[in-house]
Amino acid sequence: MVEISTSLLGVKKDNIIKTIYNLETAKTDYFHIDVMDGVFVKDNTVERMVEYCDYLNNITNIPLDVHLMVSDVRKYIDLFLPYNPNIITIHYEAFKDKNKLLDTLDYIKLNNCKVGISIKPNTDISEILDILEIVHIVLVMTVEPGKGGQKLINTTLNKIKQLSKYVKEKNLDILIEADGGINIDNVNDVKESGAEIIVSGTGIISSENYDEIIKKMKE
Ligand code: DX5
Ligand code: ZN
C-alpha cells in the first residue's frame, strides 16, 4: 500500500481551509508543501506556503512533507522548521559543494526531521548513490520542478525502477517518493516502478471526490 502526499500548490487561498478539512477526511497521508523561491525555479510560493503551514498546524495533525525548490537551502529550512514538518526534502542540484550538501542533510536530521533528497528529471541516480545511507527519502521528480499540472515525463519511471532495484539489492532503509503529473490514470505505472510515496496535486485537487480518488490511488 503506497502513501499519498497531496500537493497544495494548486489550491487557491480562499479554498485552502475547506480543502484541508476535506483532504484530512479523505485520509491523505501527508500534505505536500511546494516551496519555490523564484531563484531555483521561476515562481515564488514562499509567503503562501508559510500561510498554509500556519493553517495546517492549527487544523490537523497530518504530517507535512516540505519540498524545498530553493537555492538558499538553509534559510528556508529555518523558515519552515517552526511548522514541525515530518519531512524536509532538498534538491541535489541546489548544491555545488558535496560537503555543504552533507552538512545540510545532517542539519535537518539534527532538528528531528526526516530528510529527503530530490533529483530533477535530468539528474542521474548515480549522482546520489553515495548519500543514500544518510537520507530517509529520495524524491524523484517526474516533471521539471517549478509548476503544478504538468504531464508526467515517462522516462523518469526508469529512474525509479533503477533506484528501487538498487535500494532492494543494498537492503537500504529508504522510501522512494515520486512527484509531478501523477494522476489516477498513471499512478499504477508509478507504483509498479517502485515508488512508495506518491505526490499528487492536480490529480487529486481537480477531482470531485477526494475520498474516492485517494482510496483508488492507494489500492
Ligand atoms: C512541482 C511540484 C509538484 C507539483 C505536483 O514543482 O514539486 O509537487 O506541484 O503537482 P501536480 O500533481 O499537479 O503535478
Ligand atoms: Zn513537490
Side-chain angles (χ1 to χ4, degrees), residues 71-137:
S71 293
D72 186 346
V73 179
R74 183 68 179 258
K75 172 184 167 188
Y76 290 99
I77 292 170
D78 288 337
L79 183 63
F80 282 87
L81 276 175
Y83 297 99
N84 304 308
N86 184 274
I87 305 166
I88 293 182
T89 297
I90 61 180
H91 266 268
Y92 170 79
E93 303 87 355
F95 293 84
K96 292 181 190 52
D97 174 324
K98 196 95 180 197
N99 289 326
K100 193 133 183 318
L101 168 59
L102 297 175
D103 290 347
T104 309
L105 295 171
D106 272 346
Y107 180 70
I108 293 170
K109 289 197 281 190
L110 286 171
N111 279 280
N112 292 322
C113 185
K114 283 206 190 108
V115 63
I117 187 81
S118 184
I119 47 173
K120 291 180 171 183
N122 292 339
T123 301
D124 195 84
I125 64 164
S126 56
E127 304 278 349
I128 56 163
L129 296 183
D130 60 340
I131 59 167
L132 293 184
E133 300 275 346
I134 59 167
V135 298
H136 297 99
I137 286 169

Side-chain angles (χ1 to χ4, degrees), residues 131-133 135-138 163 167 172-176 196:
I131 59 167
L132 293 184
E133 300 275 346
V135 298
H136 297 99
I137 286 169
V138 177
L163 181 61
V167 165
L172 294 171
D173 183 15
I174 278 185
L175 288 175
I176 299 174
E196 290 126 328

Side-chain angles (χ1 to χ4, degrees), residues 1-215:
M1 178 99 118
V2 296
E3 292 186 300
I4 302 295
S5 184
T6 307
S7 167
L8 297 175
L9 183 67
V11 181
K12 299 242 174 314
K13 280 190 184 183
D14 40 14
N15 293 336
I16 187 63
I17 304 292
K18 178 167 61 66
T19 304
I20 290 171
Y21 278 114
N22 292 340
L23 285 169
E24 182 185 54
T25 314
K27 297 193 176 21
T28 185
D29 296 290
Y30 296 91
F31 285 103
H32 186 80
I33 308 296
D34 282 309
V35 182
M36 302 178 187
D37 64 354
V39 178
F40 186 75
V41 291
K42 196 173 70 54
D43 287 356
N44 188 318
T45 65
V46 175
E47 182 238 320
R48 185 161 64 99
M49 290 303 136
V50 165
E51 190 177 324
Y52 286 10
C53 284
D54 203 31
Y55 296 144
L56 286 161
N57 273 193
N58 288 300
I59 292 176
T60 178
N61 292 323
I62 290 180
L64 305 190
D65 168 28
V66 174
H67 176 195
L68 295 180
M69 290 162 275
V70 300
S71 293
D72 186 346
V73 179
R74 183 68 179 258
K75 172 184 167 188
Y76 290 99
I77 292 170
D78 288 337
L79 183 63
F80 282 87
L81 276 175
Y83 297 99
N84 304 308
N86 184 274
I87 305 166
I88 293 182
T89 297
I90 61 180
H91 266 268
Y92 170 79
E93 303 87 355
F95 293 84
K96 292 181 190 52
D97 174 324
K98 196 95 180 197
N99 289 326
K100 193 133 183 318
L101 168 59
L102 297 175
D103 290 347
T104 309
L105 295 171
D106 272 346
Y107 180 70
I108 293 170
K109 289 197 281 190
L110 286 171
N111 279 280
N112 292 322
C113 185
K114 283 206 190 108
V115 63
I117 187 81
S118 184
I119 47 173
K120 291 180 171 183
N122 292 339
T123 301
D124 195 84
I125 64 164
S126 56
E127 304 278 349
I128 56 163
L129 296 183
D130 60 340
I131 59 167
L132 293 184
E133 300 275 346
I134 59 167
V135 298
H136 297 99
I137 286 169
V138 177
L139 178 65
V140 179
M141 292 306 296
T142 43
V143 295
E144 201 56 42
K147 277 227 166 318
Q150 299 179 78
K151 198 176 161 330
L152 181 140
I153 302 168
N154 279 312
T155 48
T156 58
L157 298 186
N158 301 329
K159 273 170 68 175
I160 297 173
K161 278 186 195 122
Q162 253 187 331
L163 181 61
S164 180
K165 186 164 167 287
Y166 183 87
V167 165
K168 285 190 176 58
E169 273 165 11
K170 301 283 179 197
N171 200 17
L172 294 171
D173 183 15
I174 278 185
L175 288 175
I176 299 174
E177 182 173 3
D179 184 6
I182 304 175
N183 55 44
I184 196 66
D185 302 324
N186 60 25
V187 68
N188 286 334
D189 299 337
V190 182
K191 291 194 290 194
E192 277 151 30
S193 303
E196 290 126 328
I197 305 178
I198 301 287
V199 177
S200 180
T202 311
I204 292 175
I205 300 298
S206 65
S207 72
E208 295 300 304
N209 185 326
Y210 293 164
D211 293 57
E212 206 178 288
I213 199 96
I214 287 177
K215 196 161 149 284

